[in-house]
Amino acid sequence: MNFPSKLIENAVNEISKLPGIGKKTALRLALHLLKQKESFTEELSSALLALRKEVKYCNTCFNISDQEVCSVCSSPRRDKTIICVVEDIPDVLAIENTSQYNGLYHVLGGVISPIQGVGPDDLKIEALIDRISAKNTQDKVEEVILALPATMEGDTTSFFITRRLKEFGIKVSTIARGIPIGGELEFTDEITLGRSILTRVNYSAD
Amino acid sequence: MNFPSKLIENAVNEISKLPGIGKKTALRLALHLLKQKESFTEELSSALLALRKEVKYCNTCFNISDQEVCSVCSSPRRDKTIICVVEDIPDVLAIENTSQYNGLYHVLGGVISPIQGVGPDDLKIEALIDRISAKNTQDKVEEVILALPATMEGDTTSFFITRRLKEFGIKVSTIARGIPIGGELEFTDEITLGRSILTRVNYSAD
């Protein structure tokens, strides 16, 4: 693509470095900025810079935070005996939005993936072990929920963490896999459907 | 969506003001920035700010330009007797990329749309008339090509400009509508197909 101006060429090149944004979308976004007030672009770029420069991570659960300890970890209303282990920050947001979980989190920052060169040491697994083995906490961790993606890498990571946690004798669970609410049986892939039959829930026992 | 940090909330809000970007995509982009070096965000935001603050428009054709007169208008190799009228800047880029056009452009900055409150006076139509009626130019405009969208608004604008240009007795043409190259007849909508039969091109006359 030939651009009539160096300024727009630079802007398009920078925007199209973002994931999922090609040159055409980048051009559309750049031209949109030109049609807005100057303050629009100023607010956008200062928000991005502030995020990148001032972001902090909770030093307990590694979620994004404005403080040294995040609002979940420091809240007196959260159940500190349960830790939900997730791959990354959007997963925390997704679970928080369900309003179904009242425990703490632990953000691994990824999953074990030998192909991408991500080993256990690149993730916050040891920090998780430290949290569980800590002697000085009043609230002893009783359960770890593994909420990792249902992929080979996610399963590998779940397996690795489960084995590492064995010595502590705490409950380790994983979120249920099955047919999504509202999902049609006939359009569900066979692996999910097969698993959902094998891991069926006993109604009569409730 | 509840965010664990004001910084990320601000960034997501600002990013999701861009067209076609929702909260989830905005969050994905914000988290992507956090995983890159700080210089990545700095270069992105300075490119956006530079674009917005320093952008110039050609004072002849109203295309984006680094100079007072854009590279197309100032080029001695372009045919100054033809002006191609387009809706907006991406159309200039699209036509330039075909390498099939060697004339000048005129960017209207929109099309006439009573529903959106855009009238002829909101567009650069008078500036086009001025270019054509200018007595002091050596290169008299001989043809105006209307390359406006094939929508009601585009057609209205084409009709309006055609009528305004009548007094100058110059050739006014419009780009050909029809089946795209590589397009299948059976998947073409009936209006396009119908028009392409009515405006068929005579092979034997060539």
Side-chain angles (χ1 to χ4, degrees):
Chain A
M1 222 186 257
N2 288 317
F3 293 97
S5 145
K6 268 276 157 216
L7 291 167
I8 198 148
E9 184 170 358
N10 275 345
V12 167
N13 284 340
E14 290 299 326
I15 299 172
S16 62
K17 283 180 191 165
L18 293 168
I21 297 189
K23 293 263 171 183
K24 286 209 170 176
T25 308
L27 178 63
R28 196 164 50 84
L29 295 178
L31 294 172
H32 179 80
L33 292 182
L34 288 179
K35 288 198 175 151
Q36 309 301 312
K37 283 186 189 147
E38 213 169 291
S39 61
F40 183 94
T41 309
E42 282 166 356
E43 281 159 23
L44 172 64
S45 48
S46 67
L48 297 184
L49 281 174
L51 170 68
R52 186 62 191 83
K53 289 183 186 239
E54 293 161 33
V55 73
K56 287 196 194 77
Y57 295 91
C58 172
N59 56 22
T60 307
C61 74
F62 304 101
N63 190 13
I64 282 184
S65 167
D66 286 336
Q67 314 289 327
E68 294 289 290
V69 177
C70 76
S71 55
V72 173
C73 287
S74 60
S75 166
R77 278 171 299 182
R78 306 288 299 213
D79 181 352
K80 294 189 169 48
T81 65
I82 310 183
I83 293 178
C84 179
V85 177
V86 294
E87 180 183 5
D88 222 332
I89 291 146
D91 305 327
V92 175
L93 290 175
I95 295 174
E96 280 298 282
N97 282 333
T98 68
S99 313
Q100 298 293 321
Y101 179 65
N102 193 37
L104 305 181
Y105 292 95
H106 192 84
V107 179
L108 290 181
V111 283
I112 297 171
S113 169
I115 295 173
Q116 288 177 32
V118 181
D121 296 341
D122 301 315
L123 308 173
K124 302 290 186 193
I125 293 177
E126 281 314 308
L128 174 67
I129 307 296
D130 290 347
R131 283 177 76 179
I132 288 158
S133 59
K135 291 279 188 295
N136 56 344
T137 48
Q138 296 176 301
D139 308 280
K140 201 79 191 130
V141 177
E142 288 163 12
E143 180 174 358
V144 168
I145 304 175
L146 300 169
L148 297 172
T151 58
M152 191 136 80
E153 290 81 7
D155 286 345
T156 306
T157 314
S158 292
F159 180 72
F160 183 89
I161 294 176
T162 309
R163 245 188 15 188
R164 285 289 277 114
L165 293 180
K166 219 163 207 173
E167 57 177 298
F168 301 102
I170 57 173
K171 187 176 169 190
V172 179
S173 59
T174 181
I175 51 171
R177 312 288 185 197
I179 319 262
I181 313 292
E184 305 261 12
L185 283 203
E186 55 173 329
F187 300 126
T188 307
D189 66 289
E190 56 250 54
I191 298 175
T192 303
L193 188 54
R195 265 233 231 175
S196 79
I197 292 169
L198 290 175
T199 61
R200 62 194 175 276
V201 178
N202 199 346
Y203 261 9
S204 54
D206 285 346
Chain B
M1 222 187 259
N2 290 315
F3 293 96
S5 146
K6 269 275 158 219
L7 291 168
I8 199 149
E9 184 171 357
N10 275 345
V12 167
N13 284 341
E14 291 297 327
I15 299 172
S16 61
K17 282 180 192 165
L18 293 169
I21 297 189
K23 293 264 173 185
K24 286 210 170 176
T25 307
L27 178 64
R28 196 164 51 84
L29 295 178
L31 294 172
H32 178 81
L33 292 182
L34 288 177
K35 289 199 174 151
Q36 308 302 311
K37 283 188 191 146
E38 214 168 289
S39 61
F40 184 93
T41 310
E42 283 166 355
E43 281 159 21
L44 173 66
S45 47
S46 67
L48 297 184
L49 281 174
L51 171 68
R52 186 63 191 81
K53 289 184 185 235
E54 294 162 33
V55 73
K56 286 196 194 79
Y57 295 91
C58 173
N59 58 21
T60 306
C61 73
F62 304 101
N63 190 15
I64 282 183
S65 168
D66 286 336
Q67 314 290 327
E68 293 289 289
V69 177
C70 76
S71 55
V72 172
C73 287
S74 60
S75 165
R77 275 169 303 180
R78 307 287 300 214
D79 181 353
K80 294 187 169 53
T81 64
I82 310 184
I83 292 178
C84 179
V85 177
V86 294
E87 180 183 7
D88 223 332
I89 292 147
D91 306 326
V92 175
L93 290 175
I95 295 174
E96 280 297 282
N97 281 332
T98 67
S99 312
Q100 297 293 322
Y101 179 66
N102 194 37
L104 305 182
Y105 292 96
H106 191 84
V107 180
L108 290 181
V111 282
I112 297 171
S113 168
I115 295 173
Q116 289 178 32
V118 181
D121 296 340
D122 301 314
L123 307 174
K124 302 290 186 190
I125 294 178
E126 282 314 308
L128 174 67
I129 306 296
D130 289 347
R131 283 177 77 179
I132 289 160
S133 61
K135 292 278 189 295
N136 56 342
T137 47
Q138 296 176 302
D139 308 279
K140 201 80 193 130
V141 177
E142 287 163 11
E143 180 173 359
V144 168
I145 304 174
L146 299 169
L148 296 171
T151 59
M152 192 136 80
E153 290 80 8
D155 285 346
T156 306
T157 314
S158 291
F159 180 71
F160 183 89
I161 294 176
T162 307
R163 245 189 13 188
R164 286 289 277 113
L165 292 180
K166 220 164 206 173
E167 57 178 298
F168 300 102
I170 56 172
K171 188 175 170 189
V172 179
S173 58
T174 181
I175 51 171
R177 312 288 185 199
I179 320 263
I181 312 293
E184 304 260 12
L185 283 203
E186 57 174 327
F187 300 126
T188 307
D189 66 290
E190 53 250 54
I191 298 174
T192 303
L193 188 53
R195 265 233 232 174
S196 80
I197 291 170
L198 290 176
T199 60
R200 62 194 176 276
V201 177
N202 199 346
Y203 261 10
S204 52
D206 284 345

